[in-house]
Amino acid sequence: MIDEILFMEARLLRLFCERFQIDQLEANRLFNQYGIWDYIERCYDYFHTCGDDYIVDDITEVLQAKGAAL
């Protein structure tokens, strides 16, 4: 299951970068700072049943709620 989570994390990072036109290093910094990697892992069982756009929207909402400037 670890491989599946890592695959999802890599896919979501790429999609997040495309949406916000930022590089992967900046997105990774945000994900680390605001606990998004842990959030994806905790929610994997739910997220794997959702579409990627929904998940990126959810991640965006979490980041904004935590005060991240996007």
Side-chain angles (χ1 to χ4, degrees), residues 45-68:
D45 287 337
Y46 173 70
F47 281 164
H48 85 275
T49 65
C50 302
D52 289 342
D53 286 332
Y54 172 84
I55 302 168
V56 173
D57 289 344
D58 189 68
I59 289 169
T60 300
E61 289 177 16
V62 169
L63 285 168
Q64 289 171 334
K66 291 183 172 194

